[in-house]
Amino acid sequence: MPSLRETLSRSALSPADVDWLHRLVGDWQMVADLSFADLTLWLPVQLDDVEDPHLSPWFLAAHARPTTGPNFYHDDVIGRPPEDDRHRWLTQVFETGRSVTPDGLTQVREQYVPVVRRGRTIAVLIRHTDLQNMRQQGGLEVNYLQISQQLFAMIAEGAFPTEGSATGVGRGTPRVGDGVVRLTADGLIDYASPNAVSALRRLGHTDQVNGADLSEIVTARFVEGSTVDETVPLVLTGRAPWGTEIETDGMNMTLRAVPLMRGGVRVGALLLLRDVSEIRRRERELLSKDATIREIHHRVKNNLQTVAALLRLQSRRLDDPAARDALAEAGRRLSTVALVHDTLSQGFSERVDFDEVATRILRATVEVASTRTVVGTELRGTFGRLLAEDATHVAMILAELVHNAVEHGFEEGPPGEQDVPTPRVVVEARRRPEGEGGKEVVEVTVTDNGIGLPTGPSATPERTGLGTQIVEALIGDLRGEISWDAAKPHGTVVRFVVRLRSAAG
């Protein structure tokens, strides 16, 4: 189905006219719901080889279905050309700028409304009412239809949508089904739908609704000393086409006002209102839970750093070099895990921007490695965002491999050759999908230009060290593989692949 932007590109409308139609379509769901009918928007195609612009064909640019009643069009109709009779009515309404309701139709009632902007007709809107499946006419239906006819008249006058209006109130913007109130020009309630009456009852108003002053009903429930948005009085009286939210003791309500105009004079207003207390309560709970999770990660990071510091202090009091090195290694590994929790504590997501973590691991590992030469590091490619559990595993693997490359690759300084490049460890990461179901793998290469792998009978790397055992265990947990190879002209290349866990898993 083509988008509205694509369909509007077929017309010769100015950018201001296109913006007007975009705002009309953005607001016309409310009109469709009030009129219990499908709405279609028709535009003339401007062809260069047609001298008479009234002979230009028409095309259907947009379509809206009501949520308050049966749909007339069940299939996608955007892009369809008009039938001969419809072409005639479209052309007539476009030329005259007057609404028309043709007679003689048996299964549908169609109302043709010119879409006017600044005195010019730029499109035609058709209201399609299914006569065979119409709702039974009651008080709600009669009032909704009356309001919709006022809106259609405003569209034909160029008074709807309103230029420069900001009607959205974020999550919880009211809709027709949430509650409809019609106000007089003086701000008194002329009609309130059952859902609107229920919302006002929950607000605390127990008296008669019709004839009451809406602004008095609402402002009487404000908590003393609370801050009231400056838009509230204008919305409650229907004098401005804005949206707002009010909060009373135990209730949140969003409101949206649409002034009803006739001949440039405000004759009343349409207000949509919605009780969003439950939505706001859930939002507050989510914010509280997010803040709690962030605080937990922050405390875990602090505890890990404290334990790492205690291990370093203890290692300095030992005379046994092997024991001292073991405690120092344990402290370094705890610091690596703390990096992941530190990153998690700074955001609301349980996913980690691992490129930032990898950069910090490279810097920290080189700083603490016991080597006589200065080793540079470089990160290429991207890890992307990883789940917290995956991030902890990959961080440990990366820290062990980089630490091993720095300490053992350059433990005797740079290789004894002339014009040897600067000692360097390069980490390159590539993330790619694997199979179906959104599964992904990360391929990582850790390359150094150090002394390289042992030669001769012991060419295979020693696999009995604690660091190597940790790496292989973590890679196995991520269903991955790892390999060691010699780099040219000297150095070591370690390649590993890990399979990420899905968010659902």
Side-chain angles (χ1 to χ4, degrees), residues 82-123:
E83 298 84 355
D84 292 340
D85 289 344
R86 182 167 292 162
H87 181 282
R88 176 167 59 88
W89 291 115
L90 288 169
T91 303
Q92 176 181 326
V93 172
F94 191 81
E95 289 178 349
T96 63
R98 297 178 181 177
S99 299
V100 172
T101 302
D103 296 327
L105 300 176
T106 57
Q107 296 184 349
V108 62
R109 179 187 297 121
E110 293 186 344
Q111 180 181 2
Y112 292 71
V113 180
V115 179
V116 176
R117 177 181 176 271
R118 296 190 175 181
R120 295 182 303 104
T121 302
I122 59 176

Side-chain angles (χ1 to χ4, degrees), residues 44 68 100 193 289 340 346:
T68 53
V100 172
S193 68
K289 289 179 180 179
V340 177
Q346 298 172 12

Side-chain angles (χ1 to χ4, degrees), residues 1-2 7 10 28 38-42 59-65 72-83 86 128:
M1 182 173 65
T7 56
R10 298 177 56 187
W28 71 347
D38 286 47
L39 302 180
T40 55
L41 181 68
W42 295 81
F59 71 95
L60 201 163
H63 174 218
R65 298 181 178 90
F72 182 74
Y73 288 115
H74 298 281
D75 298 327
D76 176 28
V77 294
I78 294 178
R80 287 186 183 179
E83 298 84 355
R86 182 167 292 162
H128 310 265

Side-chain angles (χ1 to χ4, degrees), residues 190-330:
D190 183 51
Y191 169 76
S193 68
N195 284 346
V197 172
S198 297
L200 294 177
R201 292 282 187 263
R202 290 193 294 273
L203 195 63
H205 180 74
T206 57
D207 296 334
Q208 179 68 25
V209 172
N210 285 352
D213 189 320
L214 180 63
S215 61
E216 291 183 1
I217 293 176
V218 175
T219 55
R221 273 72 188 176
F222 285 152
V223 179
E224 185 177 355
S226 61
T227 302
V228 179
D229 190 88
E230 59 183 7
T231 63
V232 170
L234 296 176
V235 173
L236 291 177
T237 56
R239 288 179 288 171
W242 293 339
T244 190
E245 180 172 344
I246 60 173
E247 182 175 1
T248 64
D249 187 14
M251 182 176 182
N252 290 71
M253 181 183 292
T254 55
L255 301 99
R256 182 203 170 169
V258 180
L260 298 176
M261 312 294 291
R262 182 184 302 151
V265 179
R266 185 173 63 86
V267 296
L270 161 68
L271 255 73
L272 304 180
L273 51 87
R274 181 180 182 183
D275 182 357
V276 293
S277 303
E278 183 63 18
I279 293 177
R280 297 297 180 256
R281 184 189 68 81
R282 292 180 180 180
E283 288 177 348
R284 288 191 290 268
E285 283 189 353
L286 287 175
L287 287 175
S288 176
K289 289 179 180 179
D290 287 336
T292 302
I293 291 172
R294 292 177 64 186
E295 179 63 21
I296 290 173
H297 284 303
H298 181 71
R299 294 190 181 188
V300 170
K301 182 261 296 186
N302 288 344
N303 291 339
L304 290 173
Q305 289 180 335
T306 300
V307 175
L310 291 175
L311 291 176
R312 287 194 296 270
L313 287 174
Q314 185 65 38
S315 68
R316 295 169 188 166
R317 302 173 64 89
L318 296 176
D319 296 328
D320 186 349
R324 186 166 56 246
D325 291 344
L327 289 180
E329 287 293 303

